Amino acid sequence: MKRTLPSISKNKTIKEAINCIDQYGLGIVFIVNNQKFIGVVSDGDVRRAILKGFNVDDAVEKITNKKAVFIYEDWSKKKIEQYLSVNAVVNSFGRGNVLKIPVLDKKKHIKDALYVYKKDTSRIEVYRHAERILKIPFPGIQRVLVIG
């Protein structure tokens, strides 16, 4: 069964991105140009853009994160683990506990998504199709002790 993922053209409006984010309930929308992945817009990106004076009728491309993390569908679990660790994905969580990472084919068409969950301060888990495929320990701090 092929899953539908939230994506819209870079020429669509910020309002249309908001509608897509709301419709899918994932907090993000993947942005494409001629069906090729070019970036991501999150609900937080939209809020920050509006606070900076962007209009909901502006093109969503203006607020697209074009440095978004993605993986290719033919990567092995080991390569995914190395990529996620090296690219500081563990520092990309911000306030949330889950990242959605697009899985692309060689032509950069979106084929799927990985869901990366921050389980605690020492590890993340990566899921695809509701199946855990990786457990990755965080580098650095393993435990935090608060005294006082």
Side-chain angles (χ1 to χ4, degrees):
M1 178 176 92
K2 184 173 174 144
R3 296 185 322 161
T4 305
L5 295 166
S7 67
I8 61 172
S9 168
K10 70 176 188 168
N11 301 317
K12 298 290 185 179
T13 65
I14 293 172
K15 184 176 183 177
E16 289 170 300
I18 294 168
N19 286 331
C20 190
I21 290 169
D22 186 55
Q23 176 186 354
Y24 284 87
L26 296 176
I28 61 149
V29 60
F30 300 127
I31 309 302
V32 297
N33 182 26
N34 296 321
Q35 298 182 352
K36 292 183 180 181
F37 175 78
I38 63 165
V40 171
V41 170
S42 71
D43 53 359
D45 294 329
V46 171
R47 286 192 306 273
R48 286 184 289 276
I50 290 170
L51 289 172
K52 288 180 180 177
F54 285 88
N55 185 298
V56 294
D57 293 321
D58 288 337
V60 72
E61 181 181 26
K62 291 181 178 181
I63 66 167
T64 299
N65 173 4
K66 294 182 180 175
K67 294 182 180 180
V69 173
F70 62 88
I71 67 159
Y72 286 106
E73 66 183 343
D74 62 349
W75 284 7
S76 68
K77 289 180 183 179
K78 183 169 183 67
K79 183 163 184 162
I80 293 169
E81 180 176 359
Q82 290 170 340
Y83 179 75
L84 295 179
S85 298
V86 169
N87 284 286
V89 170
V90 296
N91 296 320
S92 300
F93 281 96
R95 295 183 198 157
N97 288 325
V98 62
L99 294 175
K100 295 91 177 175
I101 300 175
V103 178
L104 310 178
D105 66 14
K106 289 297 180 192
K107 294 180 181 179
K108 293 191 98 176
H109 297 137
I110 303 168
K111 294 300 183 181
D112 201 355
L114 292 183
Y115 297 85
V116 182
Y117 293 90
K118 183 178 179 181
K119 299 308 269 186
D120 54 39
T121 59
S122 65
R123 67 189 166 101
I124 59 175
E125 293 182 356
V126 181
Y127 288 79
R128 187 171 184 182
H129 303 294
E131 174 189 344
R132 185 177 68 206
I133 62 169
L134 290 171
K135 286 172 72 173
I136 304 171
F138 279 151
I141 298 174
Q142 296 294 318
R143 301 260 190 260
V144 176
L145 177 62
V146 178
I147 301 175

